[in-house]
């Protein structure tokens, strides 16, 4: 084929000969000097991709290819056969600027559209098809070194691929046919009087085809490479992740992310200790494309129930915490989503808290992007279903932070879930009361006309938990005029909210009545000090006896 660059031998004097690059100017014949609008010259087409080249490069053997085609062939270890029967050498590439100028000139004169960067996966599918055809033609000439029994074995494996384990879905069942889901089956359920309701959310918010904002990590197609459907693909990813070339690492991370995006069986079969170990360095890579796609791929792997404990035990959690604290913005989103997904498993909750995830999640809840804050809130909710994590969060000063967000944040519906969990434990209740939680929650119920019913209900649930066994609650509720708001809930709230509001009102009124009926006396201390018999003044409506005696 034609190339403006060719590799030739050149003399270098006494030092001998060495390879040199010389430029050959292409001159078309008079018959072809006029550009054909319909059929571009073959010299302008990539021999692999078959289209106009966007970024033509000259390889070591002298031919010109599209750069993406060269990269795909190198990634797959494939050297296509050229029309002359030779195979190109892809060890070195040099930009072919002269040919690129020629291509753009042809497009301009012919009115054709300028070439665009080819899709890596589109080129990959073409190369794989070429590899398959080459393989089929080569297998027709059987290698005499392979014994008949080995051929039969290989044929049997091809016809009967390994059976893949189907993993348990991570979907959480809906409750009462409403768009809510129960949290976890943890023994330490939130609030003995029923857990707060969660908005129906089966996956981290970062798990979305539109979640990627960077070009490098964009999911272009829903089609999953066939090679990712077998457990042997683990070898390919491990090898690619261990390469020093950042581009190779990024492309492998993108491929893993794509393969596990919708294929549930692939999530299980690919989540091996070897792959997780090889994936670790990528989670804290300094390159945005590598880190973002690696963390996103881990989110996909974590969606399989059987993988959750395996991932935490592989030592992935500290790396996710590092990505959440100091990773790229999109990596932080995926890191919060991964921690949320892993926290759904009861066995992981304590471990994630011990490893130090609570403080970064609390910070991300306050200052992250919308997706990061969303998933951080749900991660904190599930982690605080465990008492040890509640105590840790209280020591971090979470009460003031959460209540401050309740007053000003549009995320009140998610933040109040964590408040409900803290209100269960004694230290959490004290910290919330110290931070004036009663006034904040009553204010939200009074002014939050735009709140959804689940958020209002959870605010009532938090108040109900704070009222249990607390002598301070009545005074704070009276000061916040909570009785008026609770009466409104009784009249217009949901069934669960009405029940809790009624109980609080009954308890508050009973306490007031007991105080009014309490036999308290006012002593004339001046008379006592003067030595006179005191005149005890009793409350109105009380029968007095022994008026000449002093009662304490």
């Amino acid at each position: 084929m034609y190339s403006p660059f060719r590799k030739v031998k050149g003399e270098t004097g006494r030092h001998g000969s060495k390879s040199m690059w010389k430029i050959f100017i292409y001159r078309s014949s008079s018959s072809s000097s006029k550009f054909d609008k319909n059929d571009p010259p073959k010299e302008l087409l990539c021999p692999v991709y078959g289209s106009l080249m966007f970024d033509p490069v000259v390889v070591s053997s002298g031919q010109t290819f599209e750069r993406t085609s060269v990269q795909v062939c190198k990634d797959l270890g494939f050297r296509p056969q050229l029309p002359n029967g030779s195979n190109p050498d892809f060890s070195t590439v040099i930009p072919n600027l002269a040919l690129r100028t020629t291509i753009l000139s042809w497009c301009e004169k012919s009115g054709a559209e300028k070439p665009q960067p080819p899709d890596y996966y589109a080129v990959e599918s073409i190369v794989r098809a070429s590899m398959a055809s080459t393989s089929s033609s080569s297998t027709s000439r059987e290698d005499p070194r392979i014994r008949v029994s080995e051929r039969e074995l290989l044929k049997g494996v091809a016809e009967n691929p390994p059976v893949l384990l189907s993993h348990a879905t991570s979907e959480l069942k809906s409750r009462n046919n409403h768009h809510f889901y129960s949290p976890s089956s943890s023994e330490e359920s939130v609030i003995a009087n029923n857990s707060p309701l969660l908005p129906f959310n089966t996956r981290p918010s970062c798990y979305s085809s539109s979640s990627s904002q960077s070009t490098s990590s964009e999911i272009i197609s829903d089609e999953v490479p066939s090679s990712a459907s077998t457990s042997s693909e683990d070898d390919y990813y491990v090898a690619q992740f261990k390469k020093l070339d950042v581009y190779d690492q990024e492309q492998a991370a993108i491929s893993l992310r794509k393969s596990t995006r919708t294929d549930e069986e692939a999530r299980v079969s690919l989540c091996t200790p070897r792959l997780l170990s090889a994936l670790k360095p990528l989670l804290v890579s300094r390159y945005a494309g590598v880190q973002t796609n690696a963390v996103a791929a881990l989110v996909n792997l974590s969606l399989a129930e059987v993988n959750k404990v395996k991932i935490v035990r592989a030592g992935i959690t500290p790396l996710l915490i590092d990505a959440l604290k100091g990773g790229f913005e999109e990596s932080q989103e995926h890191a919060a989503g991964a921690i949320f997904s892993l926290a759904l498993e009861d066995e992981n909750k304590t471990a994630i808290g011990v490893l130090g995830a609570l403080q970064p999640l609390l910070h991300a809840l306050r200052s992250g992007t919308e997706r990061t804050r969303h998933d951080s809130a749900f991660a904190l909710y599930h982690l605080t279903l465990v008492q040890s994590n509640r105590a840790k969060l209280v020591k971090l000063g979470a009460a003031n932070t959460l209540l401050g967000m309740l007053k000003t944040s549009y995320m009140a519906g998610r933040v109040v879930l964590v408040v409900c969990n803290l209100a269960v434990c004694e230290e959490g209740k004290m910290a919330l009361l110290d931070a004036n939680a009663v006034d904040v929650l009553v204010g939200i119920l009074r002014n939050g006309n735009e709140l959804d019913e689940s958020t209002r209900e959870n605010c009532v649930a938090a108040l109900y938990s704070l009222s249990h066994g607390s002598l301070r609650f009545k005074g704070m509720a009276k000061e916040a005029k909570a009785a008026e708001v609770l009466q409104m809930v009784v009249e217009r709230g949901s069934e669960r909210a009405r029940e809790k509001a009624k109980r609080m009102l009954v308890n508050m009124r009973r306490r007031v009545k007991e105080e009014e009926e309490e036999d308290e006396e006012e002593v004339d201390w001046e008379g006592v000090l003067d030595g006179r018999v005191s005149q005890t003044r009793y409350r109105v409506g009380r029968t007095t006896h022994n008026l000449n005696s002093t009662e304490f």
Side-chain angles (χ1 to χ4, degrees):
M1 62 168 288
Y2 163 78
S3 172
F5 291 88
R6 293 181 186 171
K7 194 173 182 181
V8 299
K9 294 289 185 179
E11 293 297 322
T12 58
R14 67 176 186 272
H15 297 290
S17 61
K18 68 175 183 178
S19 298
M20 298 180 61
W21 294 98
K22 289 190 176 181
I23 301 178
F24 292 84
I25 305 299
Y26 171 74
R27 299 182 183 277
S28 59
S29 63
S30 58
S31 60
S32 59
S33 59
K34 295 182 179 180
F35 290 99
D36 190 336
K37 294 184 179 181
N38 300 320
D39 188 15
K42 291 190 296 183
E43 292 83 1
L44 309 184
L45 305 179
C46 173
V48 173
Y49 190 46
S51 298
L52 286 172
M53 288 179 278
F54 170 77
D55 185 9
V57 293
V58 181
V59 300
S60 300
S61 51
Q63 297 85 15
T64 298
F65 295 87
E66 168 63 44
R67 184 185 294 274
T68 303
S69 299
V70 175
Q71 188 61 51
V72 170
C73 290
K74 289 175 64 177
D75 291 344
L76 300 179
F78 177 64
R79 294 172 63 194
Q81 189 173 17
L82 300 176
N84 61 4
S86 64
N87 297 100
D89 180 5
F90 293 137
S91 59
T92 305
V93 296
I94 297 177
N96 194 334
L97 301 180
L99 185 59
R100 175 169 173 76
T101 302
T102 302
I103 293 172
L104 295 177
S105 177
W106 180 87
C107 293
E108 201 173 308
K109 293 182 179 180
S110 65
E113 186 177 352
K114 294 181 180 180
Q116 299 298 319
D119 175 32
Y120 182 93
Y121 292 107
V123 178
E124 181 185 10
S125 62
I126 294 174
V127 174
R128 287 188 181 277
S130 178
M131 293 172 63
S133 62
T134 303
S135 175
S136 61
S137 62
S138 62
T139 53
S140 61
R141 302 184 298 273
E142 295 180 346
D143 190 339
R145 293 174 296 177
I146 300 179
R147 296 190 297 271
V148 176
S149 59
E150 292 176 345
R151 293 195 201 99
E152 292 176 351
L153 177 61
L154 293 173
K155 181 180 179 182
V157 172
E159 294 176 351
N160 302 287
V163 178
L164 298 177
L165 299 176
S166 59
H167 79 289
T169 179
S170 62
E171 302 282 355
L172 297 177
K173 296 180 180 180
S174 59
R175 178 176 57 176
N176 298 332
N177 297 324
H178 289 79
H179 294 296
F180 301 100
Y181 70 86
S182 302
S184 167
S185 59
S186 172
E187 294 180 359
E188 294 186 87
S189 60
V190 180
I191 308 177
N193 53 74
N194 293 326
S195 302
L197 295 177
L198 279 173
F200 185 75
N201 187 78
T202 59
R203 293 187 178 92
S205 63
C206 64
Y207 178 75
S208 169
S209 59
S210 61
S211 65
S212 176
Q213 296 174 0
S214 64
T215 305
S216 61
S217 60
E218 192 72 33
I219 301 299
I220 301 173
S221 171
D222 289 340
E223 181 184 355
V224 179
S226 59
S227 59
S229 62
T230 63
S231 58
S232 63
E233 188 68 9
D234 159 86
D235 296 331
Y236 165 75
Y237 288 120
V238 171
Q240 293 298 105
F241 291 159
K242 291 183 177 180
K243 286 186 176 181
L244 298 179
D245 191 329
V246 175
Y247 182 82
D248 292 336
Q249 295 176 353
E250 180 178 357
Q251 293 304 315
I254 292 174
S255 178
L256 178 62
R257 178 182 181 182
K258 181 181 178 183
S259 299
T260 56
R261 180 169 173 266
T262 56
D263 191 338
E264 297 184 352
E265 290 185 343
R267 293 172 188 157
V268 176
S269 61
L270 288 172
C271 190
T272 64
R274 293 175 65 248
L275 184 138
L276 293 176
S277 178
L279 188 63
K280 284 183 179 180
L282 277 62
L283 300 176
V284 289
S285 171
R286 293 176 298 172
Y287 297 94
V290 175
Q291 185 187 80
T292 298
N293 286 287
V295 181
L298 189 65
V299 174
N300 294 348
L301 292 173
S302 72
L303 295 177
E305 293 288 348
V306 296
N307 290 345
K308 295 183 187 297
V309 174
K310 187 187 303 183
I311 292 172
V312 171
R313 289 181 177 176
I316 297 291
T317 306
L319 302 176
L320 290 175
I321 294 173
D322 288 343
L324 180 62
K325 291 193 295 185
F328 297 96
E329 184 176 276
E330 191 177 350
S331 299
Q332 292 178 351
E333 293 178 351
H334 293 303
I339 296 174
F340 164 35
S341 178
L342 295 172
L344 292 172
E345 172 59 47
D346 285 353
E347 192 172 338
N348 290 341
K349 289 178 171 61
T350 300
I352 294 174
V354 169
L355 290 170
L358 296 175
Q359 188 167 25
L361 286 171
L362 188 63
H363 178 72
L365 178 62
R366 184 169 46 188
S367 60
T369 65
E370 182 177 355
R371 288 193 183 98
T372 303
R373 297 171 73 184
H374 175 278
D375 288 342
S376 296
F378 281 122
L380 286 171
Y381 166 76
H382 286 284
L383 291 174
T384 52
L385 291 171
V386 176
Q387 170 58 26
S388 59
N389 289 335
R390 295 174 195 149
K392 288 185 177 70
L393 203 59
V394 170
K395 291 180 180 179
L396 292 172
N400 283 292
T401 300
L402 295 172
L403 292 175
M405 294 182 68
L406 272 180
K407 291 186 291 185
T408 60
S409 175
Y410 68 94
M411 290 188 59
R414 302 176 182 90
V415 174
V416 73
L417 296 171
V418 187
V419 174
C420 284
N421 284 358
L422 294 185
V424 177
C425 65
E426 193 60 33
E427 54 265 56
K429 184 182 301 184
M430 292 176 60
L432 289 170
L433 291 175
D434 288 343
N436 206 16
V438 176
D439 184 66
V440 173
L441 292 168
V442 170
I444 292 175
L445 291 172
R446 178 183 291 113
N447 303 319
N449 296 325
E450 297 180 357
L451 293 176
D452 59 87
E453 192 57 43
S454 64
T455 302
R456 297 176 63 84
E457 185 173 326
N458 290 331
C459 287
V460 175
L463 285 170
Y464 185 69
S465 294
L466 292 173
S467 69
H468 275 283
S470 174
L471 298 177
R472 300 170 58 190
F473 177 83
K474 175 188 169 294
M476 300 180 74
K478 182 177 181 181
E479 185 176 348
K481 298 181 180 180
E484 301 174 3
V485 175
L486 293 176
Q487 187 60 44
M488 292 170 55
V489 174
V490 171
E491 296 172 358
R492 299 194 291 267
S494 66
E495 182 178 352
R496 297 179 73 209
R498 287 200 304 269
E499 183 63 27
K500 292 182 177 64
K502 285 179 182 178
R503 292 181 184 178
M504 281 188 282
L505 285 173
V506 169
N507 291 335
M508 291 168 62
R509 289 167 181 167
R510 182 185 297 126
R511 181 63 180 165
V512 171
K513 186 176 180 181
E514 289 175 354
E515 289 182 353
E516 290 177 350
E517 295 178 352
E518 187 176 3
D519 187 11
E520 294 183 355
E521 300 173 347
E522 296 182 8
V523 181
D524 183 1
W525 293 106
E526 293 182 359
V528 173
L529 294 175
D530 292 342
R532 295 182 286 103
V533 178
S534 65
Q535 296 180 357
T536 305
R537 295 184 292 274
Y538 294 89
R539 289 183 179 273
V540 177
R542 298 289 294 173
T543 303
T544 59
H545 301 282
N546 301 324
L547 296 180
N548 293 328
S549 64
T550 302
E551 296 182 2
F552 293 93

